[in-house]
Amino acid sequence: GIQVEQSPPDLILQEGANSTLRCNFSDSVNNLQWFHQNPWGQLINLFYIPSGTKQNGRLSATTVATERYSLLYISSSQTTDSGVYFCAVALYSGNTPLVFGKGTRLSVIA
Amino acid sequence: DTAVSQTPKYLVTQMGNDKSIKCEQNLGHDTMYWYKQDSKKFLKIMFSYNNKELIINETVPNRFSPKSPDKAHLNLHINSLELGDSAVYFCASSQAGGWVETQYFGPGTRLLVL
């Protein structure tokens, strides 16, 4: 099955710093989503981004489908950004489940 | 208004018991899912229903049985609970019948089997 690798596994940032999270996947996809799981366990949709670039406030994401990777940028990080960031993909063949990476655990300290 | 809701949020029970988790979505979506998140935070699909019909059934023990009374609800029944069933169970939904749409997740149900 498709493999999804996220890096780094853990990241500690000082408040105000910028960061880039990476997601590599092993096959063509027609669905790629970034989620933030906050410290209370809630999974929050950040982006649906099978290709291209999107921005939402301090967050932006870029997916280069031909090279099978996606990047999530967090600028001017805040303590509320802490949590686990997941990348999830689905194969191009359709009707296939979202496959999640193992996540990047981000801790933003004041 | 909550888009995808699950009840209960917490469930503590003894080994061998039978329990159910309910899920409802008010987004008008056609497809609903159950995912399991283990103690290492790894998320994996369990089931998917499209318009009340099962379309995905990953390798899950048959003690787990999804039931969809209508397309807004997908409940998860678990028989003869085991210690290894302790996890967080997430319900999700999406618009289209395929997998190209954004999936929206419920708040999760934290199941602890003693």
Side-chain angles (χ1 to χ4, degrees), chain A:
Chain A
I2 191 169
Q3 304 296 316
V4 183
E5 293 184 3
Q6 291 186 242
S7 60
D10 295 280
L11 185 59
I12 301 175
L13 293 177
Q14 198 75 37
E15 201 169 24
N18 303 330
S19 63
T20 301
L21 281 56
R22 187 176 180 103
C23 172
N24 292 334
F25 42 95
S26 61
D27 208 335
S28 298
V29 299
N30 68 349
N31 186 343
L32 188 147
Q33 294 183 231
W34 283 98
F35 295 88
H36 174 216
Q37 187 168 37
N38 63 25
W40 295 271
Q42 177 72 36
L43 275 168
I44 300 163
N45 279 294
L46 297 177
F47 296 103
Y48 169 73
I49 187 166
S51 64
T53 298
K54 289 186 179 179
Q55 179 156 7
N56 185 1
R58 295 180 297 101
L59 301 181
S60 63
T62 294
T63 297
V64 183
T66 53
E67 296 187 23
R68 299 180 184 172
Y69 73 89
S70 183
L71 302 173
L72 178 69
Y73 305 96
I74 305 174
S75 63
S76 304
S77 58
Q78 300 175 359
T79 55
T80 51
D81 296 332
S82 296
V84 183
Y85 289 81
F86 290 102
C87 169
V89 302
L91 287 174
Y92 187 73
S93 55
N95 248 20
T96 48
L98 275 179
V99 177
F100 281 77
K102 292 185 178 180
T104 292
R105 183 178 298 277
L106 174 64
S107 299
V108 181
I109 54 178

Side-chain angles (χ1 to χ4, degrees), chain B residues 23-38:
Chain B
C23 178
E24 177 181 3
Q25 54 94 3
N26 62 7
L27 298 167
H29 286 170
D30 295 318
T31 306
M32 296 183 71
Y33 317 84
W34 278 108
Y35 289 84
K36 178 180 179 181
Q37 185 173 39
D38 63 22

